[in-house]
């Protein structure tokens, strides 16, 4: 079987997502193809999708205009394995507000039972990297890059926090969370060479490769 991996290619760090999938799938030794998803009809031809970091309001408006938003929501709700990073996490959340401006009323996929605050760590100059403990990836910490990052303050139903980070105002914030076929990261696993988050997504969340 050839795994067809899609990257939502409307805005954001699309090329980095392609490269990260390429590294992870190559390491797993499977046959695969990566496609840039720009049109709604491509959504029926992929086995998984990743949603890049970038600007969630732009991704939201463009995906709504192209008709991708509704169709992708339906595909994810019907089991399409989906990894969203940073702006991608914002897109997947059912509840979103901005740390500064509050309500954003931006178009969302709204598929994960998480409540997200955008820009919760501050603006661009407050971006940072940290060695994050992610128990499902093993003992070795993961170098997590946070850029104008969101985080979840709450998750419910079967959404499971996989990593948290302490915040002086909000306490423990959820920076990685899984719910069934969906995985969201507040940081950017596509920006480091460590492929463990992507391999976890492909093997455990998507169940497309046996390890
Ligand atoms: N702050 C951005 C947003 O909410 C996300 C930033 C990022 O993806 N690096 O869309």
């Amino acid at each position: 079987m050839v795994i067809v991996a899609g990257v939502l290619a409307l805005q954001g760090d699309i090329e980095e997502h392609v490269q990260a999938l390429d590294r992870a799938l190559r390491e797993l030794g499977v046959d695969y193809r990566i496609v840039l998803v720009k049109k709604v009809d491509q959504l029926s031809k992929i086995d998984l999708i990743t949603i890049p970091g970038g600007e969630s309001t732009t991704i939201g408006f463009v995906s709504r205009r192209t008709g991708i938003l509704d169709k992708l929501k339906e595909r994810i709700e019907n089991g399409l394995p989906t990894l969203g990073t940073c702006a991608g996490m914002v897109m997947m959340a059912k509840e979103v507000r901005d740390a500064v401006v509050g309500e954003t009323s931006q178009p969302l996929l709204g598929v994960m039972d998480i409540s997200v605050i955008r820009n919760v760590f501050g603006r661009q100059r407050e971006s940072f990297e940290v060695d994050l403990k992610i128990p499902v990836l093993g003992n070795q910490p993961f170098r997590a890059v946070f850029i104008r990052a969101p985080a979840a303050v709450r998750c419910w139903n079967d959404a499971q926090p996989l990593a948290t980070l302490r915040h002086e105002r909000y306490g423990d914030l959820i920076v990685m969370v899984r719910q069934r076929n969906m995985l969201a990261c507040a940081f950017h696993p596509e920006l480091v060479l460590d492929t463990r988050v992507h391999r976890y997504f492909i093997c455990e969340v998507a169940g497309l490769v046996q390890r």
Side-chain angles (χ1 to χ4, degrees):
M1 184 184 106
V2 178
I3 295 173
V4 184
V7 175
L8 185 63
L10 302 176
Q11 193 273 333
D13 67 343
I14 298 160
E15 185 52 33
E16 288 78 4
H17 268 251
V18 170
Q19 306 259 334
L21 276 173
D22 192 51
R23 282 193 295 274
L25 288 158
R26 191 155 7 103
E27 278 176 30
L28 289 168
V30 292
D31 291 332
Y32 64 94
R33 202 151 52 77
I34 297 174
V35 297
L36 297 178
V37 176
K38 296 179 187 215
K39 297 222 165 74
V40 74
D41 61 354
Q42 294 174 289
L43 291 172
S44 56
K45 299 170 193 147
I46 51 176
D47 299 311
L48 62 85
I49 193 162
T50 72
I51 306 175
E55 178 50 51
S56 58
T57 46
T58 308
I59 297 173
F61 284 117
V62 179
S63 61
R64 188 163 71 183
R65 199 179 60 222
T66 50
I68 288 179
L69 191 73
D70 287 347
K71 183 71 191 166
L72 179 55
K73 180 179 166 75
E74 188 188 308
R75 282 280 279 136
I76 298 171
E77 284 170 347
N78 285 313
L80 179 70
T82 304
L83 166 66
T85 74
C86 203
M89 179 191 212
V90 175
M91 287 299 302
M92 292 169 83
K94 285 191 180 166
E95 285 181 15
V96 173
R97 66 195 152 95
D98 186 277
V100 180
V101 301
E103 290 309 313
T104 62
S105 65
Q106 61 191 102
L108 299 170
L109 289 162
V111 285
M112 284 189 96
D113 292 324
I114 57 177
S115 180
V116 162
I117 303 182
R118 291 178 61 192
N119 303 308
V120 69
F121 301 102
R123 298 282 155 188
Q124 190 76 22
R125 66 196 155 80
E126 275 103 31
S127 297
F128 60 96
E129 293 183 23
V130 69
D131 286 323
L132 191 66
K133 274 201 212 119
I134 309 177
V136 292
L137 301 184
N139 291 332
Q140 180 92 0
F142 191 89
R143 190 73 182 162
V145 180
F146 289 82
I147 304 171
R148 283 181 295 114
V153 280
R154 189 167 79 84
C155 65
W156 59 96
N157 290 336
D158 54 353
Q160 300 274 349
L162 300 181
T164 59
L165 200 60
R166 185 158 286 279
H167 188 286
E168 54 188 39
R169 174 161 165 215
Y170 295 99
D172 282 338
L173 287 174
I174 301 163
V175 294
M176 181 166 166
V177 50
R178 175 191 180 173
Q179 186 172 19
R180 298 187 300 272
N181 55 315
M182 300 173 280
L183 183 65
C185 297
F187 52 96
H188 292 274
E190 71 278 12
L191 295 184
V192 295
L193 294 175
D194 188 339
T195 58
R196 283 180 294 158
V197 168
H198 282 77
R199 282 186 283 134
Y200 173 77
F201 170 61
I202 296 160
C203 299
E204 316 299 331
V205 179
L208 289 166
V209 179
Q210 302 316 322
R211 274 209 274 206

